[in-house]
Amino acid sequence: MKPAPFAYARPRDLAAALELLASEHGAIKIIAGGQSIGPMLNLRLVEPDLVVDVAGLPELRQAALEGNHLMLGACVTHADIEDGRVPDVTGGAMARVASAIAYRAVRNRGTVGGSLVHADPAADWVTALLALDAEIELAARAERRRLPLASFILGGLDVALRPGELLVAVRVPTVPASSRWGYAKHCRKAGEFAHAIGSVLLDPVSGQGRAVIGAVEAAPVVIADARPLFGGRIDSSFASCFDSAAVDQALTDAGMTDAIDRHVHVTVLRRAIMQAGGLGEVSASAA
């Protein structure tokens, strides 16, 4: 099957792209890396009147430190992060996530912004950047606004993007040196979409932490205060205090009714926690 006919535009800069999005061209779709929209066009799951190619916009390829945040342009690729071509404020956490995304050909083309806007529940950046408490920046012709990523991801393939808006940047807070990062996912084989993802960012010094359970049918389950998962406190012994029943209850509260599905997700989150606690390195794509 081939795509239905559509018009194609490659604007010269961000302002021109936003003008196109604000114009009356019928249904408009954005293409950057093309790793999601390409197959959707071929299968005619989407049939836009106009495809706007933003891959070449220099404003969306930038990465810079701004105070205690890393600003990533939406068209920064997974490979840019994997290969260290952007500053690192996460102690290597983002590079580890990037290196386990699909295959190198996908990482060379796929973009951070495209992954977040598509909001596939099994996408790595959706879960990982929620655990890192990232914020996104949206631009339209007349205004810009920022949203916590947790407010942007509304559900599976569903985001809080208004007509005429474009995701232009992701802002990632600097991770304290005392924090511990863990990220694990369950795939039938390397490179496939994950069936369960667990991610944690835990700081035994401040006693604070976040946990995110991804690859669920709805929006990822975000546990913004992870202390109840460890008996009420996060200290240097957190890995030995993990309460699987608390996670199972959180998944039940989120609407996951299948006990086997809950068990798989609890197990994957436990692996992320063991990784964060230094109790054996676990591959991000461990089955």
Side-chain angles (χ1 to χ4, degrees):
M1 186 179 294
K2 295 297 182 182
F6 58 83
Y8 172 84
R10 189 174 176 89
R12 65 185 181 280
D13 55 29
L14 180 58
L18 296 177
E19 283 292 334
L20 280 171
L21 293 182
S23 63
E24 297 293 333
H25 281 94
I28 300 176
K29 286 293 183 180
I30 301 296
I31 191 169
Q35 301 306 292
S36 297
I37 190 68
M40 292 173 72
L41 288 168
N42 278 336
L43 294 172
R44 299 200 179 191
L45 296 174
V46 294
E47 296 187 12
D49 299 296
L50 172 66
V51 171
V52 179
D53 188 342
V54 300
L57 300 185
E59 300 98 323
L60 303 188
R61 294 301 305 271
Q62 297 174 359
L65 296 174
E66 295 183 354
N68 62 347
H69 285 74
L70 168 64
M71 190 283 294
L72 285 174
C75 287
V76 168
T77 66
H78 314 320
D80 288 334
I81 297 171
E82 178 183 11
D83 295 346
R85 290 191 289 273
V86 302
D88 180 19
V89 297
T90 66
M94 289 184 66
R96 284 164 55 190
V97 172
S99 67
I101 294 174
Y103 304 98
R104 181 66 192 201
V106 172
R107 299 197 293 272
N108 285 339
R109 295 286 302 172
T111 64
V112 175
S115 176
L116 295 180
V117 169
H118 187 51
D120 189 315
D124 292 86
W125 289 127
V126 172
T127 298
L129 289 171
L130 281 169
L132 291 167
D133 201 17
E135 181 182 62
I136 54 100
E137 184 172 345
L138 302 165
R141 181 172 60 181
E143 65 171 343
R144 290 202 177 206
R145 62 185 179 119
R146 290 180 182 174
L147 278 179
L149 182 58
S151 299
F152 181 67
I153 304 292
L154 301 178
L157 308 177
D158 187 16
V159 295
L161 193 68
R162 297 172 181 168
E165 278 190 327
L166 179 68
L167 193 155
V168 294
V170 183
R171 296 172 58 83
V172 183
T174 298
V175 172
S178 55
S179 290
R180 306 300 302 273
W181 170 258
Y183 188 85
K185 59 182 178 178
H186 168 63
C187 308
R188 287 194 174 92
K189 66 178 182 179
E192 283 192 347
F193 286 107
H195 301 284
I197 305 175
S199 185
V200 293
L201 183 66
L202 307 170
D203 189 344
V205 174
S206 70
Q208 304 298 310
R210 291 171 65 86
V212 181
I213 302 167
V216 298
E217 292 183 359
V221 178
V222 178
I223 304 172
D225 180 0
R227 288 176 295 180
L229 308 186
F230 305 96
R233 61 181 298 174
I234 297 171
D235 56 23
S236 59
S237 63
F238 66 81
S240 63
C241 301
F242 175 59
D243 183 356
S244 59
V247 180
D248 185 82
Q249 186 60 54
L251 290 169
T252 300
D253 293 343
M256 188 177 292
T257 58
D258 189 288
I260 295 176
D261 284 348
R262 295 200 305 272
H263 174 73
V264 171
H265 282 83
V266 170
T267 300
V268 171
L269 184 64
R270 179 188 288 113
R271 290 176 177 177
I273 290 165
M274 295 302 105
Q275 186 186 104
L279 301 182
E281 284 296 317
V282 180
S283 170
S285 57

